[in-house]
């Protein structure tokens, strides 16, 4: 492949990696990871609410990795409540999973920036054949993509398996019990998915530029080895 095309491919991959790093950093600071509604079951059962009346007992909830907001509604109007995971909810959430998600987000940002720097270095510099070259680009892209996948798996398990929204909704509630009515992942969660796909795309761009995947044996080396074996 001509050198100009390789430069263009590496520059494109570098810009994509940098964009992913900035997007992940922005996603960490938002409350747009999960949005949902919670039903005040205690209040609904007291008045035997059904149909349109049930809407008076459905509140809202949204949160991210550090903070969030819920609107408590038990038939007397909505009352908003701001909360933070550290230290308010530390005792009721799966703290090890939550901290792991934040840690992998940080690693994703770091290696996305490293990948962006080395993509530009390969485009305009004279890279070595070690981690500065294509092997390194594959490695940084693989680590970033893996971190993105782990973030989605861990956070999904925290929300769905450990019923995170329900635990948050019932935080400091003595007389009323809340149940998750609906929940869906919001923009910041899907940003991580897009970043993971972009890093996977970067690996394909490296291959498209003419560099073999690491640990793959070329056909020529196999032929040479076979010829040497015949001599003995």
């Amino acid at each position: 492949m001509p050198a100009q095309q390789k430069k263009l491919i590496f520059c494109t991959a570098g810009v994509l990696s940098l964009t992913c790093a900035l997007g992940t950093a922005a996603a960490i600071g938002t409350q747009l990871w999960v949005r949902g509604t919670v039903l005040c079951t205690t209040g609904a059962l007291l008045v035997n609410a059904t149909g349109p009346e049930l809407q008076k007992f459905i509140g809202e909830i949204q949160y991210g990795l550090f903070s969030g907001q819920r609107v408590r509604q038990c038939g007397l109007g909505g009352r908003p409540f701001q909360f933070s995971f550290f230290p308010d909810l530390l005792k009721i959430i799966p703290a090890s999973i939550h901290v792991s998600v934040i840690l992998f987000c940080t690693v994703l940002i770091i290696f996305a920036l490293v990948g962006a720097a080395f993509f530009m270095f390969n485009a305009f510099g004279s890279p070595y054949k070690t981690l500065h070259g294509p092997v390194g680009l594959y490695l940084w892209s693989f680590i970033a993509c893996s971190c993105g996948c782990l973030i989605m798996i861990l956070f999904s398990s925290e929300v769905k398996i450990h019923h995170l929204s329900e635990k948050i909704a019932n935080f400091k509630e003595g007389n009323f019990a809340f149940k998750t009515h609906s929940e869906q992942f919001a923009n910041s969660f899907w940003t991580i998915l897009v970043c993971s796909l972009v890093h996977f795309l970067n690996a394909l761009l490296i291959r498209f530029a003419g560099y073999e995947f690491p640990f793959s044996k070329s056909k020529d080396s196999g032929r040479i080895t076979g010829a040497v074996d015949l001599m003995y």
Side-chain angles (χ1 to χ4, degrees):
M1 178 176 287
Q4 288 298 114
Q5 291 185 15
K6 288 183 180 180
K7 283 186 178 182
L8 180 60
I9 289 174
F10 284 143
C11 286
T12 302
V15 171
L16 290 175
S17 294
L18 180 60
T19 304
C20 286
L22 297 176
T24 304
I28 291 177
T30 68
Q31 298 180 4
L32 301 177
W33 283 72
V34 174
R35 282 178 174 170
T37 57
V38 290
L39 172 65
C40 180
T41 55
T42 305
L45 289 173
L46 284 175
V47 299
N48 196 20
T50 57
E53 294 179 353
L54 201 61
Q55 296 298 322
K56 297 180 181 180
F57 298 91
I58 296 179
E60 299 177 354
I61 187 171
Q62 70 173 30
Y63 55 88
L65 298 181
F66 293 97
S67 61
Q69 175 180 315
R70 76 183 188 197
V71 178
R72 178 179 181 272
Q73 189 158 311
C74 290
L76 301 173
R79 284 180 286 177
F81 174 73
Q82 297 282 344
F83 60 86
S84 60
F85 283 91
F86 306 98
D88 296 344
L89 303 177
L90 203 57
K91 294 182 179 179
I92 66 169
I93 65 171
S96 59
I97 297 178
H98 200 78
V99 172
S100 297
V101 171
I102 297 173
L103 177 63
F104 281 118
C105 283
T106 304
V107 175
L108 174 57
I109 293 172
I110 293 173
F111 279 97
L113 291 174
V114 170
F118 279 107
F119 272 117
M120 293 302 179
F121 181 70
N122 275 263
F124 299 104
S126 299
Y128 302 105
K129 295 299 182 182
T130 57
L131 297 182
H132 291 159
V135 175
L137 298 181
Y138 277 121
L139 179 61
W140 314 137
S141 298
F142 173 77
I143 293 175
C145 183
S146 300
C147 286
C149 294
L150 286 172
I151 291 167
M152 291 185 293
I153 292 171
L154 290 174
F155 190 74
S156 299
S157 67
E158 185 180 7
V159 173
K160 299 297 183 180
I161 298 176
H162 294 275
H163 307 289
L164 185 60
S165 300
E166 199 163 301
K167 289 180 178 179
I168 294 173
N170 288 284
F171 176 64
K172 289 186 177 180
E173 289 292 341
N175 300 322
F176 294 93
F178 290 84
K179 185 178 181 181
T180 303
H181 187 259
S182 67
E183 65 181 358
Q184 57 275 338
F185 295 109
N187 297 342
S188 294
F189 179 84
W190 300 120
T191 298
I192 302 298
L193 173 61
V194 171
C195 289
S196 301
L197 294 176
V198 166
H199 289 297
F200 179 76
L201 174 63
N202 282 349
L204 297 181
L205 287 177
I206 301 169
R207 180 65 186 87
F208 182 70
Y211 297 101
E212 293 288 340
F213 292 116
F215 310 113
S216 63
K217 295 182 179 179
S218 63
K219 295 180 180 179
D220 294 336
S221 63
R223 290 174 182 173
I224 295 172
T225 305
V228 171
D229 291 339
L230 288 175
M231 292 176 64
Y232 293 94

